Amino acid sequence: MSDFHVIADSVAAEIAAGTLPPGTRLPPQRTFADQRGIAASTASRVYAELTRRGLVLGEVGRGTFVRAPEVLRAIRINEAADAPIDMQLAISSSLDQAALMAPAFQSLAGPVALWDTLSALGPFGPKGAGETVARFLACKGWKPDPAGIMFAGGGRQAIACALAALCKPGDRVGVEPLTYPSIIRMAARLGIQLVPIDVDHEGIDPAALAKAHGAKPLAAIYVQPSIHNPLGISMTLGRRLALSRMLDETGLLCIEDGAFAFLSDMAPLVSFAPDRVIYVNSMQKRLGPGVGVGFVVAPPQVKDDIAAIMRAGGWMASSLSMHMVLSWIADGTAGAVTDLKRLDARARQTLAAKILGIQPGPGKTDAFHLWLTLPPAWNPDAFTAAAALQGVAITSAGAFAVASGQAPNAVRLALSSPSMMNLEQGLQIIRTLLTQTPGDALIE
C-alpha cells in the first residue's frame, strides 16, 4: 500500500514550486488515483492530508482547488493588511471626523477632570451613563431600559460576554451560514457548536430555524439584522416580525449584533422582542476602531449573568473610554460623525457600482462593504491571491463560512477603509481581474 504521506508531500512540493499554482483544480479523487496508480482510498487520504495542511480547499459541487499561500490569502481581517490598497477592514475614519471629536479632549486638560475619568468603573458605567446611552440608541417604538445597559471593551467583548452567559460548552447556537468571523473563533474557544440556518434575501429563515431547534434544542441564536457582514443585506420588517414571534413562542434568546445598524434606518430586532433579545452594539464602527466601547442591552433575566461574566473576564470598557464616548454622545458629536460616515459610505458604494457595473441591492447603499459574486472561472482564494499580487487586499468568502468548504464563490470588498483615490484604483484592478481567468492573471 502506498504511503499517502509521501504522495501528499510530492503534491505539496508541486504547489510550493508553482507547478500547481493557486486556483488550480485538482482532478477528481478517482482520476487522481488512476494517474498515480494508487487505491481510491489512498487518494482520499492524500486529499484529506492536503486539506489538513491548508494547501487545498474542497468546495461542494465544484471540486478541490489549490489555495493561495497564507501571505497572499489576505484574510487577516482583524489587523492591517500588507497590501498597499487595503480593502479588508470595514472601518471608516477621516480627519474631518477626527476634527469633530477632538474638542472633547479639552475637557480633560485639568487634573480634577482627568482624575475623575481614571477611576475604576463596573459594567454599568458612571452615574447617568445608562440614561445617556438609552436616549442615543432609542428609535421609534423602542427605548432601552437604562438599567439593562452595560459597557464592554468593544463589540467583540460584548458578543463574547453574551455568548458566555447564555451558553455552556457543547451548546448549539444558530447563526447565519455566512457570519462575522470573530464569532466563529469565539465559539471554538468556548466549545460552542455553531449551527448554520438558511437565509434568503429577506434574512434568516424562521422555518429553517424552527426545524433546527426542533431537531435538537438551540441555546440561543446570533444574527445581524441590519447591514449584514459580509452580505450587506438587511432583514425586512416582515421577517423581523416573524422572527420576533418565533422567539416569543419558543423562548429562545437572540443576540442581535448591531455593529453596522447606524448605517440603516430599520428598527432593531430588539424593538419587536425586548424580552428575548440581547442587543450588542459598538462605537468602533460608528466613531473609530480605537474607541474601545461596546454596549450590551440585556433583558432582566440575563442582565446579572452578563455583568458577572464581564467582571470575571475584565471585559468592561475603560473608564476613560466610557467618559469620552458619553461626552461625544451628549454633545451631538457621535450623531454628526455618524452622518459623515453614512455620506461617505454612500459615495463609495456609488463609485463601486459605476466601476464594477453593478447595482446595489435594497438597503446596501450605505454599507461599508460590498459582497461580490465571482465569475465561474474563478474561486475565492485564487481571486484573492491575484488581487493581492496587484496590491489589493480583499477577503475570501471562506473567512465568513460557518461550515468549512461550503463558502459561495464570492469575496468581500471593504470600501470604507482606503482613500477615495486608492479605492478607485483598487476597484479598477478588481474590474480588470473579473474580465480575466486565473490563467490570464499573474499568480505566482
Side-chain angles (χ1 to χ4, degrees), residues 93-103 105 287 328 333 337 340:
S93 61
S94 70
L95 287 177
D96 289 341
Q97 297 166 20
L100 291 175
M101 298 167 65
F105 288 93
L287 293 180
W328 285 320
T333 297
V337 172
L340 281 181

Side-chain angles (χ1 to χ4, degrees), residues 255-310:
I255 300 171
E256 176 182 6
D257 188 345
F260 289 103
F262 70 95
L263 297 172
S264 169
D265 295 324
M266 295 288 292
L269 179 65
V270 67
S271 65
F272 304 106
D275 294 331
R276 308 310 311 164
V277 175
I278 300 164
Y279 182 74
V280 298
N281 205 319
S282 167
M283 298 303 281
Q284 289 152 293
K285 300 295 186 184
R286 191 189 289 258
L287 293 180
V291 171
V293 172
F295 304 132
V296 182
V297 182
Q301 70 269 31
V302 294
K303 177 185 71 174
D304 292 339
D305 290 339
I306 294 175
I309 292 290
M310 202 175 285

Side-chain angles (χ1 to χ4, degrees), residues 206-257:
L209 178 59
K211 182 178 179 181
H213 185 53
K216 185 177 180 181
L218 301 170
I221 63 171
Y222 165 89
V223 296
Q224 304 172 77
S226 300
I227 314 292
H228 181 275
N229 179 23
L231 298 177
I233 64 174
S234 288
M235 194 180 292
T236 62
L237 174 59
R239 188 57 57 85
R240 291 173 197 243
L241 290 169
L243 180 56
S244 65
R245 286 193 296 269
M246 184 189 169
L247 294 175
D248 285 333
E249 292 167 0
T250 61
L252 267 173
L253 285 168
C254 172
I255 300 171
E256 176 182 6
D257 188 345

Side-chain angles (χ1 to χ4, degrees), residues 11 20 89 125 143 150 169 196 212 225 228 275 303 329 344 367:
V11 177
L20 295 174
L89 298 177
K143 181 182 178 182
M150 290 164 276
H228 181 275
D275 294 331
K303 177 185 71 174
I329 290 174
D344 181 59

Side-chain angles (χ1 to χ4, degrees), residues 57-58 60 175-178 184 194 196 397-398 400-407:
L57 175 69
V60 176
V175 295
E176 292 123 334
L178 298 170
I184 299 175
L194 296 183
F400 306 96
V402 174
S404 178
Q406 295 191 21

Side-chain angles (χ1 to χ4, degrees), residues 1-18:
M1 178 182 294
S2 301
D3 186 346
F4 73 92
H5 286 103
V6 174
I7 301 173
D9 287 343
S10 69
V11 177
E14 293 178 47
I15 293 173

Side-chain angles (χ1 to χ4, degrees), residues 362-436:
K364 297 182 182 181
T365 54
D366 289 348
F368 280 0
H369 54 275
L370 176 68
W371 188 244
L372 182 65
T373 299
L374 300 175
W378 286 101
N379 72 70
D381 272 358
F383 193 84
T384 300
L389 281 169
Q390 297 197 39
V392 182
I394 59 177
T395 309
S396 172
F400 306 96
V402 174
S404 178
Q406 295 191 21
N409 194 32
V411 294
R412 190 194 74 170
L413 311 180
L415 307 177
S416 56
S417 186
S419 67
M420 286 296 280
M421 183 176 69
N422 280 350
L423 175 62
E424 182 173 1
Q425 181 183 351
L427 290 170
Q428 296 285 4
I429 291 171
I430 296 297
R431 184 181 69 178
T432 299
L433 286 175
L434 289 171
T435 65
Q436 298 177 342

